[in-house]
Amino acid sequence: MQQRIRNHKPLILGIMLFTILLVALLIYLRRESNEEKPRIRLSVILEESDDDRLAGIKAGMEQAAKDNGCILNYPRTELLSATDERRLMEEELSQGAQGILLQPVSSDDMFEVLEQFSGRTQLLLLESDISQEGVYPAVTSDDYSLGESLANEVLVYVRGKTAPRVVVLVGHGRQRARQSRMAGLRETLQEAGAEVFVLSASLKGLPSLLERELYEEGMDALVAVGDAETDTAAAFLSERKASDQAPVDIPPFFGVGGSAKNLYYLEQGIIRRLVVPNAFMMGYQAVQALASQVEYKTSFSVKPEQVEYLVVGSENLYDEENQKVLFPIMQ
């Protein structure tokens, strides 16, 4: 018996040594997996950081940051100029940002600014590109197509009218996104025989312009190509509708955006149709793409990545598929 044990002793020692090495390897791998990888620091510069309309985009960003090991910093901002955005970018880089996600306030003024940073950090544009050539990575909607869809909804309501008068609100109109939406909207309406009148003003100035157009010129339909303008116009129309002294009918109103205010006015019938970009997916794709740029030191694409949009009315506001886009935080 003892002789048999002595014969198998090398085998037994080998098995014991293999077991010890295996246990040590497993402990090492577990320790490695538990060690937190260096997190990617990204700066998110938005035109108005505390604006409620950004809730969906921010929710998408936060989910992508969680999934991709990122830390997001949102500098507190209000209405910005290109000079303001350049200053914020400098500050964020000095504080250790490895990439900058920028919502450009102006397509005309930002090209030179971005040229100053393109070799110093990773950049990605959100919601609006700055040039037709798409020289910087961007996550946007298909804004020309969005404008066409908005126009087609308007044409349903003015069908049968000869040369219907359609008033369009473009706000400051400095973003390429708004310009592309306006192009798709205008061309589609004019091809159908509509007369298009454009109002461009600050948000504070829009109500007085609307007052004049509504009571002096009249309109067959009113359209806003940005969500802030949609909010402002819807609030104005709601007040006029509630007024006992309103001398004219409220025109059918069409807008863009998925803010809580937009959806409230849609449900109340102030907005007839709302075109809603998938804000959650826009925010998610933007952070995911920028994190990849930082990690691999390369741009994911110079062609804008485009997210879907949907068209909703009060009758389909609470459809299950629409809910996933309109209320992603609740899903």
Side-chain angles (χ1 to χ4, degrees), residues 2-199:
Q2 292 179 351
Q3 180 67 33
R4 186 177 300 172
I5 292 175
R6 281 197 298 269
N7 292 339
H8 289 86
K9 190 173 182 179
L11 178 60
I12 295 172
L13 290 175
I15 292 173
M16 291 176 63
L17 180 60
F18 175 78
T19 303
I20 292 171
L21 291 174
L22 180 61
V23 170
L25 178 62
L26 291 174
I27 292 173
Y28 172 79
L29 292 175
R30 176 172 292 184
R31 184 176 299 170
E32 285 290 303
S33 65
N34 288 337
E35 288 183 3
E36 195 171 306
K37 292 181 179 180
R39 303 186 72 184
I40 298 172
R41 299 177 60 86
L42 303 179
S43 174
V44 182
I45 299 177
L46 304 169
E47 186 175 4
E48 292 182 87
S49 59
D50 293 333
D51 196 319
D52 291 342
R53 75 180 183 84
L54 296 172
I57 287 178
K58 284 184 174 180
M61 289 179 181
E62 293 297 336
Q63 184 60 54
K66 180 179 178 181
D67 293 345
N68 292 273
C70 302
I71 298 174
L72 302 182
N73 183 52
Y74 303 91
R76 188 179 179 87
T77 59
E78 296 181 358
L79 288 174
L80 299 175
S81 66
T83 301
D84 294 329
E85 290 198 323
R86 177 170 56 190
R87 173 182 54 79
L88 285 170
M89 292 168 75
E90 288 284 5
E91 291 176 358
E92 291 300 299
L93 286 181
S94 69
Q95 294 174 16
Q98 297 168 273
I100 295 177
L101 179 58
L102 179 70
Q103 182 186 41
V105 296
S106 170
S107 298
D108 299 330
D109 304 329
M110 289 304 299
F111 191 88
E112 183 178 345
V113 171
L114 294 184
E115 283 288 286
Q116 299 172 19
F117 290 89
S118 60
R120 299 170 56 191
T121 188
Q122 295 294 331
L123 296 170
L124 189 138
L125 306 180
L126 178 70
E127 269 199 312
S128 182
D129 202 349
I130 63 167
S131 71
Q132 188 172 0
E133 292 76 19
V135 293
Y136 289 99
V139 177
T140 69
S141 299
D142 183 345
D143 290 296
Y144 186 90
S145 174
L146 189 153
E148 289 180 312
S149 295
L150 195 57
N152 287 328
E153 295 300 321
V154 173
L155 292 173
V156 170
Y157 279 81
V158 298
R159 183 181 294 131
K161 292 182 180 290
T162 302
R165 188 174 194 269
V166 180
V167 174
V168 182
L169 309 177
V170 296
H172 52 64
R174 294 181 297 159
Q175 289 183 328
R176 179 166 177 77
R178 282 183 169 84
Q179 295 166 1
S180 295
R181 292 173 188 177
M182 187 63 217
L185 176 75
R186 185 201 297 271
E187 290 173 18
T188 304
L189 289 174
Q190 289 180 338
E191 285 176 4
E195 297 181 354
V196 178
F197 297 84
V198 179
L199 296 184

Side-chain angles (χ1 to χ4, degrees), residues 231-247:
D231 279 348
T232 301
F236 169 83
L237 294 175
S238 181
E239 290 175 4
R240 292 301 175 270
K241 185 176 181 180
S243 173
D244 295 334
Q245 300 178 350

